[in-house]
Amino acid sequence: MRAFACDFDRTLVAEDGLLRPRTLAAISRSQAAGIPVLIATGRMFRSIRPYLEQAVLPHPVVCYQGAAVVDPADGAFLLHEPLDVGLAREAVAALVEAGHPPNCYVDDALFVAAHTEYSRRYAGFQHLPVTEVGDLVAWLDRPPTKLVAVADPEEIPALREALAERFGERLFLTTSLPFLLELGNPLATKGNGMQFVADRLGIDAECVVSFGDGENDVELLEWAGFGVAVDGGHPRLLEHADWVCPPAREEGVAGLIEVYLASRLGL
């Protein structure tokens, strides 16, 4: 076993968004033992960066569901698989027509056509700026890292089906939270992003234990040699898991790391 690869929200941290002492201690012990803890998240880099600094995680981080791999030291994008501008404009137009103008991520910043209750709550919770730009199709002139549609959970399946029918394999569609439908480059998955990181670190995927809770973690669990879903995770993810650990509020990831270090390394 050479590394742990962890989703962040609702896997490593619970709904309060806090890295708890037990989890921080387990990460520190693992890193000290030469077993890196690697992060794969749907978050923007600027959103995850404070946590990387808190936990002292120096290795490249997979962000935006795998569309970017970023060096925590300087924020440089080591890998970037954005959407083509033309395709992104087409997708934005389709979402606007469906009544769900998307969040648009460009250059590690978030842009919206007009502020909504969700965008204001997101900005407040993440302590991040959200920029209102008006007509997103007219404004967009650079490849966005990803698009995210916000809708009631009951509306997501029909919206997803319509987009899948229209765009086929040109878009990678996945859900993170029940009310978020994410649109990205088909090459942008957490599994592909983590492969890039593993190659840089000289680690074989078969020697990695991965953790996740959402549908957007399926590719991460498929990629790793051993995949762990947290209890209560997405049903599709549970079908791909080799094991299930306690949920984030019980610090299940930390518990498994502790057991491994104690049983295999005597730490």
Side-chain angles (χ1 to χ4, degrees):
M1 222 285 295
R2 296 281 310 282
F4 296 108
C6 300
D7 168 50
F8 192 72
D9 290 289
R10 302 169 311 281
T11 298
L12 207 56
V13 301
E15 287 78 2
D16 58 11
L18 299 177
L19 278 169
R20 301 180 184 183
R22 180 186 179 190
T23 295
L24 287 169
I27 290 172
S28 179
R29 289 170 59 201
S30 185
Q31 297 269 115
I35 303 173
V37 176
L38 309 172
I39 302 299
T41 178
R43 288 191 185 215
M44 311 163 64
F45 172 66
R46 67 194 302 170
S47 172
I48 197 67
R49 188 173 200 170
Y51 295 100
L52 302 176
E53 293 172 350
Q54 181 186 9
V56 194
L57 294 175
H59 303 293
V61 57
V62 177
C63 300
Y64 293 102
Q65 311 298 1
V69 175
V70 187
D71 185 344
D74 57 9
F77 278 36
L78 306 174
L79 173 72
H80 193 202
E81 300 287 4
L83 286 163
D84 172 78
V85 172
L87 174 61
R89 287 176 178 155
E90 185 182 351
V92 169
L95 289 168
V96 170
E97 182 181 348
H100 302 290
N103 296 338
C104 183
Y105 298 80
V106 179
D107 297 334
D108 206 36
L110 174 54
F111 302 89
V112 296
H115 279 299
T116 64
E117 180 184 353
Y118 170 78
S119 68
R120 291 189 179 93
R121 285 193 290 112
Y122 181 90
F125 177 70
Q126 300 291 341
H127 306 290
L128 296 171
V130 180
T131 304
E132 190 176 51
V133 298
D135 186 341
L136 269 173
V137 175
W139 172 84
L140 188 60
D141 62 359
R142 288 165 291 168
T145 304
K146 71 173 182 178
L147 302 171
V148 177
V150 183
D152 290 335
E154 296 78 13
E155 299 177 287
I156 292 290
L159 178 61
R160 181 175 186 164
E161 182 178 355
L163 291 172
E165 182 176 347
R166 176 166 178 173
F167 292 97
E169 296 183 356
R170 292 189 293 160
L171 287 177
F172 173 68
L173 302 173
T174 191
T175 55
S176 47
L177 292 171
F179 53 89
L180 299 181
L181 180 62
E182 310 223 0
L183 293 69
N185 187 315
L187 297 176
T189 70
K190 289 186 180 181
N192 286 346
M194 195 53 70
Q195 181 63 59
F196 180 88
V197 175
D199 287 343
R200 286 179 65 93
L201 299 180
I203 296 173
D204 193 316
E206 289 299 314
C207 299
V208 178
V209 174
S210 64
F211 299 88
D213 79 295
E215 184 195 22
N216 57 326
D217 297 314
V218 167
E219 290 79 14
L220 179 63
L221 265 64
E222 288 182 327
W223 169 80
F226 194 82
V228 181
V230 299
D231 191 26
H234 192 282
R236 183 172 167 230
L237 183 74
L238 293 171
E239 294 176 359
H240 293 267
D242 298 301
W243 195 261
V244 177
C245 74
R249 65 180 178 275
E250 298 176 23
E251 298 185 87
V253 173
L256 196 150
I257 292 175
E258 290 167 352
V259 168
Y260 177 81
L261 294 177
S263 65
R264 296 298 179 88
L265 303 179
L267 297 177

